[in-house]
Amino acid sequence: MSDLAFLSPGRASAEAMWRSPLERALQGAPPAVSDLSLTGKVEIRGKLPKSVKGGELVRITPNRGLVLCDFTKTVELLEKLSKDLFAIDVSASLAGLSVRGEAVMRRITDLDLDALPAAGAVSHVQAIVTRDGDSFALWFAQEYSDYLAEVVIDAHKGLHR
Amino acid sequence: MRLPARPGERLDRNREVTFSLYGKPVRAFEGDTFGSALYASGQRIFSRSFKYHRPRGLLCCSGSCANCMMTVDGVPNVRICAEPVREGAVVRPQNVWGSLEHDVLVATDKLAGPFTPVGFYYRTMIRPRWAWPLYEKFLRNVAGLGKLDKQAGRANRYDIEHRRAEVLVVGGGRAGREAARKHAAAGRQVVLVDEGFVDPLEGVDVISPGRALGIWEGGLVPVDAGRVLYRFRAGKIVVATGTIEQPLVFPGNDLVGVMLPDGVRRLIEDWGIKPAEQAVVVTVDEAGREAAAALEEAGVQLNGVYDLRRERAREIVARGRGGVLRSVEIDGRKISCDLLVMSGGRQPAYSLLAQVGARIEYDPERGVFIPTDIPDGIEAVGSVAGEGLDGAVPAASYNGASGKGKCFVCVCEDVTDKDLKRAIGEGFDSIELAKRYTTVTMGPCQGRLCHVPSIRLYARENEKDEATIGTTTARPPWAPVTLGLLAGRPHEPAQRTSIHHRHKELGARMMWTGTWRRPHSYGDPEGEAKSVHDSVGVIDVSTLGKMIVRGSDAAEFLERLYPNRFGDMKPMRIRYGVLNSDAGRIMDDGTIARLDDETFYVTTTSTGAGAVLEWFEWWNAVWGMDVEIVNVTGALAAVNVAGPRARAVMRSLTGIDLSNEGLSYLDARDAQVAGVPSLILRIGFVGELGYELHFPSPYGEHVWNAILQAGEDFGIRPFGLEPQRILRLEKMHILIGQDTDSESNVLEANMPWIAKLDKDDFVGKWSLEHVQERGLQDLLVGFEMEDGKVPLEGAQVVLEGTRPIGRITSSRWSPELRKAIGMAWVPAEVAEEGKSFLVTVDGGFERATVRLRPFFDPEGERLRS
């Protein structure tokens, strides 16, 4: 069966220049907003395990989850997970944005910030949102990177005028 | 005139603020509103009425009426009686031709009465018909409230914030604060909003000013806080919106100097202003008496207090000069005054409750409308629920006293009692019809001051009671709100490929394709197209929809979805597919590459990706097959290298066998390209040898740069959508949604080879069988123009004579072929090679010749080279 190598950025040679979709958009961004895109992401489907060794499991539906891991370990984790589950490397699909501060989040989403992780709209873009204290991580389709970065930076600006 | 400082006033007399009216400075204190500061400076006329341009002064001082609307810093229709002052603000009157004191359009009041009865716009100024554009221009210039500077752009920043509250209390008066305290003491998270300024409350998050605009499903309550719209989701909503003072209806009740009791009280107590020298009070409740006491304390000479509960007056007439109050006559007795306080009682501010489904019932004993049957999750407390409201008048409805002069029921819309009586006489005898015909309650106050008076008048004139007349439907917003606030920040999601910034660096002119930003061209569309034919070009096609379809039933799944055959595809081969709806109409197209027995890689159009994914997932749910569908549209960048030198360019980027035997047309290969794992598809949309590379999107710029570098010696040029459109048209490749519409099918779109009607079944098969049976009617064909003129896309195909029989879907000038070419839908009898038809061009007709085979390289030799 095809290993879908063309989906995995982790299989590129060292000379190939990886560029985060958020790199340019976050130039000059406040410290409260940072790039998480260089994170391994594997989507798994089927009977989800309770946890995944070597990764953080975010349950999206009862049968679908997103595993976040060290980017350099993605291919290894993908192979491991593929033994029992449908697993696919979505590292390149999703960009990741870290946002510090509930106030900023309230300006960009109406998700219940006390009931995370959750999936829903962030300024009209579907995202998976997780929380660690006052820090939030947004995982969303990478092609919206420039747009969402601009939205988050603008929301931050609106609160700190 | 300012009174000495008093306890409880809202002013900070140590902090002065200066703003301007008519360019002249006006001094104020922090805590003033623009209205209070202007009143203290001696200003009495604040606006001109909507229709008659009558002078209007402060009336309510609570932001309910329209009497004080002015333009502040370019924002029209600001109720300055409630708008806090700010340093340097520029305040301008609106709706005047001249000044507030001398408005030319007051002639409407003096002379135009016969021409402007209620509903006049249905009757006057319609003859002669040729003059209507003149009337329309005139009316548009004099109508409306305030002017917008169309060139101003976004003058203000408005934000939207999403909040949650266990308990949301609307109204910061006594009852609202008590309710908030009670819930906070019980450990709940409480938010209190009030449209005015209220003091903080321990344990409660207070937003003031904050105006609740309505109550929607799911406990959604948007709150207008000026520059921020708070969208609250509340577990419980407590409505404590209190009551609204009502005016009395009598001749001259709109004169400058006629005010409501709370308005007077605020001037004195909140802003330390002596409102007048001599006052008269006419009241139906205690509020008027309280205002009288406040006036005396402020040193105003009280020339009379008339309590209509004790003695009903037959005639009340306010008289003035130049629209400003000079005296009031009560039953023939003339009393001098420059302030007339009128109190017509208080009505519960029930609108939010009515919006959410409460029933509004009339209490004849107290003369008020009370909300009942309030839905679960919502509570009404305080005077809005009728608590503490005494009977206002002995009889349920107070008759507007008679007398000569205009007697306003609705000051916002300049609707008089005569207008309402005329409407009844014309048959508009229900309150809902009255509203629509006369516009009563449709002005800026939205019925706060005029709804009940209009109901009372209708009850009297129709000899019915208020309960029978009823109320009109309450709809949000509860108060006028700026569109800017509702819009919030200009968030327009845009999708960009990972190569986007390189396109801009290369001088691309970007365009929208759905929500994608794509290069239209790099400045020379015809040159870019030519370059693909002459040597080699590269285009970013990352926007294509891309899906992995994997599972033991994957082949069968695609067989059922598409009219094509896929079950017999060998691994690493590609087919073009056209997706049908279940009505057999063309939905989308793309390529399907089989990667192994159980895995397919499907591409879609850029704007169709979302719909196709949904379609696939829907049918997968229906059929319950062993298939997983994964959207990898953003995961992969894609570029197409096309042209006779494409192979030469690719040779320096990858080590695989690129010969025609090693990688034939419609083959797929896994390979490293510039060190990046890629899927190479040997396909083309532009009629030349082409390689489409699909690889992880973070390497978009790396691969793009590597291709440009590798192609430098061959004169490689990037090309955009416009040259691509020229090239694909030369090959007669269709564009879904441009060359097809919701009725197009593959048979009539000249792709009969797509539909394998010998398959057991596929989505939409029944419809194609029907088309085949009934015969083809309109067909999609190519054409070339005899004289070289390029018709507009959408131009008509015309039968000899004049009857339109078809339309042009695509047309371009081909620099390669030196011809004007295109595609069009024409009747089957015209759709034969060499036949001709007429096309509308520049107001005339030009001849076109039908072509059924691609204009460029019809045998596909260059594609397969």
Side-chain angles (χ1 to χ4, degrees), chain B residues 308 445 476 690:
Chain B
L308 299 176
C445 91

Side-chain angles (χ1 to χ4, degrees), chain B residues 573-803:
Chain B
R573 287 289 293 166
I574 306 163
R575 248 173 224 168
Y576 170 66
V578 179
L579 198 59
N580 277 0
S581 68
D582 44 6
R585 308 306 202 258
I586 295 172
M587 233 181 99
D588 203 82
D589 71 351
T591 57
I592 291 95
R594 187 168 201 165
L595 302 184
D596 59 50
D597 285 344
E598 295 188 0
T599 311
F600 291 81
Y601 179 59
V602 178
T603 67
T604 77
T605 62
S606 301
T607 51
V612 173
L613 177 68
E614 259 184 54
W615 188 246
F616 275 34
E617 288 188 339
W618 161 255
W619 282 108
N620 195 23
V622 168
W623 295 326
M625 301 173 95
D626 177 28
V627 174
E628 293 290 345
I629 303 153
V630 186
N631 180 7
V632 293
T633 297
L636 297 165
V639 298
N640 196 295
V641 182
R645 310 308 298 270
R647 186 175 279 121
V649 172
M650 288 297 297
R651 278 208 178 102
S652 58
L653 295 169
T654 182
I656 65 162
D657 180 3
L658 291 167
S659 67
N660 212 11
E661 296 70 35
L663 183 62
S664 307
Y665 180 61
L666 295 181
D667 272 352
R669 282 291 176 275
D670 284 307
Q672 292 276 101
V673 176
V676 175
S678 306
L679 182 69
I680 302 179
L681 309 176
R682 174 118 183 243
I683 53 177
F685 191 50
V686 296
E688 294 284 356
L689 165 66
Y691 299 90
E692 195 163 285
L693 318 176
H694 294 239
F695 52 91
S697 56
Y699 296 105
E701 287 195 17
H702 169 80
V703 173
W704 178 266
N705 291 340
I707 292 169
L708 287 182
Q709 191 173 16
E712 210 176 322
D713 289 343
F714 305 105
I716 193 169
R717 287 178 77 170
F719 64 102
L721 272 184
E722 179 55 25
Q724 188 197 51
R725 283 186 175 163
I726 298 171
L727 293 164
R728 68 94 196 173
L729 188 57
E730 290 169 351
K731 292 295 290 181
M732 269 195 228
H733 289 317
I734 64 168
L735 281 179
I736 303 295
Q738 173 155 340
D739 301 304
T740 67
D741 62 21
S742 60
E743 292 303 303
S744 309
N745 60 72
V746 294
L747 300 179
E748 289 173 324
N750 227 357
M751 294 186 286
W753 46 273
I754 289 273
K756 306 297 182 214
L757 292 175
D758 59 334
K759 284 190 344 177
D760 283 343
D761 201 4
F762 56 82
V763 172
K765 181 182 174 193
W766 68 271
S767 174
L768 292 178
E769 285 173 332
H770 173 72
V771 169
Q772 200 178 53
E773 199 180 296
R774 58 113 157 116
L776 306 181
Q777 291 175 345
D778 291 298
L779 274 84
L780 184 64
V781 301
F783 67 86
E784 52 190 58
M785 298 299 294
E786 286 181 9
D787 67 348
K789 284 192 182 155
V790 180
L792 285 177
E793 290 174 344
Q796 290 178 328
V797 171
V798 177
L799 192 64
E800 304 294 334
T802 55
R803 189 163 63 88

Side-chain angles (χ1 to χ4, degrees), chain B residues 4 109 342 423 433 437 623 667 689-690 716 755 801 806 826:
Chain B
D109 186 34
M342 58 170 178
L433 286 177
Y437 187 57
W623 295 326
D667 272 352
L689 165 66
I716 193 169
V826 297

Side-chain angles (χ1 to χ4, degrees), chain A residues 1-2 6 9 12-13 17-19 24 45 92-93 106-107 109-110 112 142-144 146-147 154 158, chain B residues 157 159 161-164 489 496 501 505 550 596 598 628-629 634-636 675 696-699 701-702:
Chain A
M1 193 174 283
S2 166
F6 66 103
S13 71
M17 204 176 75
W18 184 96
R19 195 153 204 170
R24 289 175 210 241
R45 299 181 188 183
S93 260
R106 286 206 299 257
R107 290 270 168 115
T109 183
D110 72 349
D112 186 350
Q142 65 83 18
E143 57 266 35
Y144 289 106
D146 276 9
Y147 162 72
D154 176 71
Chain B
R157 181 189 170 113
D159 283 277
E161 189 166 310
H162 305 277
R163 299 275 304 268
R164 279 166 201 265
R489 300 299 290 147
R496 293 177 174 86
H501 294 283
E505 285 165 6
R550 175 173 260 189
D596 59 50
E598 295 188 0
E628 293 290 345
I629 303 153
L636 297 165
S697 56
Y699 296 105
E701 287 195 17
H702 169 80

Side-chain angles (χ1 to χ4, degrees), chain B residues 168-189:
Chain B
L168 178 68
V169 179
V170 182
R174 184 198 50 80
R177 292 171 79 83
E178 215 170 280
R181 254 188 232 107
K182 185 185 91 186
H183 283 291
R188 296 185 191 105
Q189 178 240 343

